[in-house]
Amino acid sequence: GLAVAEIGGPRQRPQAITELRLESRLSRALRARVTLRGRAGGPFEGGHPGLMNFVHAFQNRTPSLEFNEAYAELREGDVQIRAGIQRFAWGKLDGVPPTDVVTPRDLHDPFVREFEESKIGVPALAGTYYLPPVDAIDLRELRLALAYVPIAVPSRLPLADERWFPPSVNASPVVRFSADAVEHAFGIPSTSARIPITFRTLNHRPAYRLDEGAIALRLGGTWHEMDWDLYHYTGPETGPDADLLVSVRGKAIVPGADGTQRLIAPADVRLRQAHDTMHMTGADWSATLGGATVRAEIASFLDRPYLRVTSDLFTPTALRALPAKARDRLVMRLLQRQRARVPLGDLFADRDSVEWGIGVDYLIAGFLPLLQVNQVVFTDAGPTQLYSDPETRLLGSVRKRLLQDTVELEVRGVYAIERGAWLVYPRATYRWGDH
């Protein structure tokens, strides 16, 4: 169960969560596993009962059921093959590791739920080969893993009227432009504009094609008692990704209070699920140094979608930058009181970037403090993102176990230096019984 106390903002109902896990050893080498999850209540608004699917980003089914895992695994010698719905865990850092991009997440409740709990199983064929050690250079526990995900599975995103829908994306109910702004954007003199907005989300499932799938490669092992991994991923973006579709219709031109004309043009704004292909190459490393555990990770991204601030797309300067032919056609149809599409820029712009992080923890008198720094650096020229450039985040946590390890107290916090954004999250966990 999960209950959220209301202290302001959109509501979130209590939620009941169930999980049923079935495991079976079919033979000496073959086993199967199925994990079913069910939910009722929570942040969903206007939902209806049903089975969660793999292709839609905007789903608010409640009560709901999903197959979080359902696979068969064959182990024969040094080879392991797994086929079915499965989850992948890449990276070594706390929070959201930069290299952990294979498995999408359910973001209906992004703060309270644990990162691994929010992962959505994806249909995949995965194989792992355990290589022999290379004693000459002390390389041991070598393993090479290759996975193929045949379809693009998006993250599940909240709807516009739900608690965790990002306010930077939600359009204002009404947008107004002064006469000077309208003249600057469209060249229409002495006319202001009032634009009532209807906003909603729209699913748009990916095509069932081989080139819409993903390939994921991982090579890992130990060297001189240090763990390391190398990664590569080419496939659809598994984080949030959407297009902004806007159409307007000239409805009326009425006299303004200041002697100018006012154009009334209602707009339909649709946030539609999108599917961009990106590439990630990364590595991680961890070791124990003088009693402290140190972890580091780095990932290089090509063409990864990053969210922009929605209001930046609606400024007079941005509208003025539209192609001249499209802008002239838009003006003509508005004045003729017809509907026209507004070809705005990308809400999620594809950028090249490097994301890295380093963290350390050390056990002191039963307390386990952790300190970690993460940074996102854009390596190409592009539009301004919601992230700063660079975006530096400090993550810290302190944990303490009590009463024969049945109680764990934890405080964790994140601070984004450039934006001044922060989050503090205290938690108490009690383990009931020896299960």
Side-chain angles (χ1 to χ4, degrees):
L2 175 65
V4 177
E6 182 178 349
I7 58 173
R11 69 176 178 178
Q12 180 169 340
R13 299 180 180 89
Q15 185 177 56
I17 306 166
T18 61
E19 182 172 287
L20 175 65
R21 183 177 300 165
L22 308 172
E23 296 190 32
S24 176
R25 185 173 294 276
L26 304 177
S27 68
R28 182 185 61 84
L30 183 64
R31 69 186 186 99
R33 179 170 179 169
V34 175
T35 303
L36 295 173
R37 278 187 182 172
R39 296 188 189 90
F44 300 100
E45 295 289 343
H48 54 277
L51 183 69
M52 291 289 192
N53 63 55
F54 295 108
V55 295
H56 290 154
F58 300 106
Q59 301 186 58
N60 65 336
R61 300 183 182 277
T62 179
S64 68
L65 180 68
E66 67 171 304
F67 286 88
N68 196 249
E69 291 177 307
Y71 61 80
E73 181 181 86
L74 176 67
R75 295 183 181 181
E76 194 66 49
D78 294 329
V79 177
Q80 174 183 305
I81 299 175
R82 183 179 291 180
I85 302 169
Q86 48 194 297
R87 297 179 296 174
F88 298 86
W90 282 12
K92 291 183 170 64
L93 291 179
D94 276 45
V96 183
T99 60
D100 200 359
V101 297
V102 182
T103 309
R105 303 185 300 279
D106 189 321
L107 299 176
H108 281 92
D109 197 341
F111 293 114
V112 174
R113 296 184 65 190
E114 286 292 331
F115 175 71
E116 290 299 321
E117 288 180 2
S118 66
K119 284 187 173 181
I120 303 167
V122 295
L125 176 63
T128 302
Y129 177 59
Y130 295 89
L131 293 87
V134 183
D135 295 326
I137 55 176
D138 199 24
L139 281 177
R140 302 181 182 278
E141 299 181 28
L142 295 173
R143 56 199 178 276
L144 177 65
L146 178 65
Y148 171 62
V149 183
I151 63 173
V153 181
S155 288
R156 293 185 191 136
L157 308 177
L159 274 67
D161 56 352
E162 293 177 351
R163 184 184 188 200
W164 295 114
F165 188 86
S168 64
V169 175
N170 206 344
S172 302
V174 177
V175 174
R176 292 179 172 86
F177 290 101
S178 66
D180 291 341
V182 172
E183 184 170 5
H184 174 71
F186 301 114
I188 305 175
S190 303
T191 303
S192 60
R194 180 179 181 272
I195 305 175
I197 292 194
T198 303
F199 181 87
R200 67 180 177 92
T201 54
L202 186 65
N203 283 314
H204 180 64
R205 71 181 189 184
Y208 294 118
R209 299 197 310 259
L210 292 178
D211 60 351
E212 294 287 347
I215 292 291
L217 178 67
R218 176 180 185 176
L219 174 65
T222 64
W223 179 68
H224 294 295
E225 299 184 354
M226 295 183 289
D227 291 319
W228 59 270
D229 290 280
L230 302 175
Y231 305 94
H232 181 77
Y233 173 86
T234 292
E237 167 64 40
T238 53
D241 190 12
D243 295 325
L244 204 61
L245 307 180
V246 180
S247 64
V248 297
R249 177 175 58 86
K251 184 177 181 181
I253 298 178
V254 298
D258 55 357
T260 63
Q261 300 184 107
R262 184 171 65 174
L263 172 65
I264 300 176
D268 290 323
V269 180
R270 303 290 182 262
L271 185 69
R272 188 180 70 173
Q273 172 186 347
H275 313 280
D276 289 272
T277 297
M278 61 96 166
H279 312 270
M280 186 281 295
T281 301
D284 64 28
W285 165 88
S286 68
T288 301
L289 304 175
T293 302
V294 182
R295 296 175 294 276
E297 194 167 333
I298 187 170
S300 174
F301 292 92
L302 298 177
D303 298 328
R304 187 174 201 188
Y306 286 92
L307 177 62
R308 301 174 64 187
V309 179
T310 311
S311 57
D312 290 349
L313 304 177
F314 290 92
T315 64
T317 301
L319 295 173
R320 183 67 181 173
L322 295 176
K325 185 176 180 180
R327 191 173 63 251
D328 293 343
R329 182 174 182 272
L330 172 61
V331 171
M332 180 185 66
R333 295 185 71 86
L334 283 176
L335 296 179
Q336 294 176 350
R337 302 184 184 181
Q338 296 178 345
R339 182 170 296 278
R341 181 176 175 270
V342 184
L344 297 178
D346 293 329
L347 178 61
F348 284 81
D350 292 343
R351 299 288 303 272
D352 298 342
S353 66
V354 173
E355 300 187 17
W356 65 272
I358 184 168
V360 59
D361 63 66
Y362 187 81
L363 186 63
I364 304 174
F367 290 87
L368 185 63
L370 177 145
L371 183 63
Q372 180 175 302
V373 58
N374 287 67
Q375 190 174 66
V376 179
V377 180
F378 294 102
T379 58
D380 65 346
T384 303
Q385 310 297 311
L386 191 63
Y387 279 169
S388 302
D389 187 12
E391 168 98 356
T392 309
R393 296 189 296 272
L394 298 178
L395 183 149
S397 71
V398 178
R399 287 186 292 170
K400 171 69 173 177
R401 290 185 175 179
L402 306 167
L403 302 178
Q404 299 180 336
D405 292 343
T406 58
V407 174
E408 182 178 81
L409 305 179
E410 178 185 12
V411 177
R412 108 180 34 160
V414 180
Y415 179 65
I417 295 176
E418 290 82 6
R419 290 186 289 138
W422 59 273
L423 164 72
V424 174
Y425 177 38
R427 183 173 63 172
T429 305
Y430 175 64
R431 179 170 58 85
W432 185 6
D434 295 328
H435 307 296

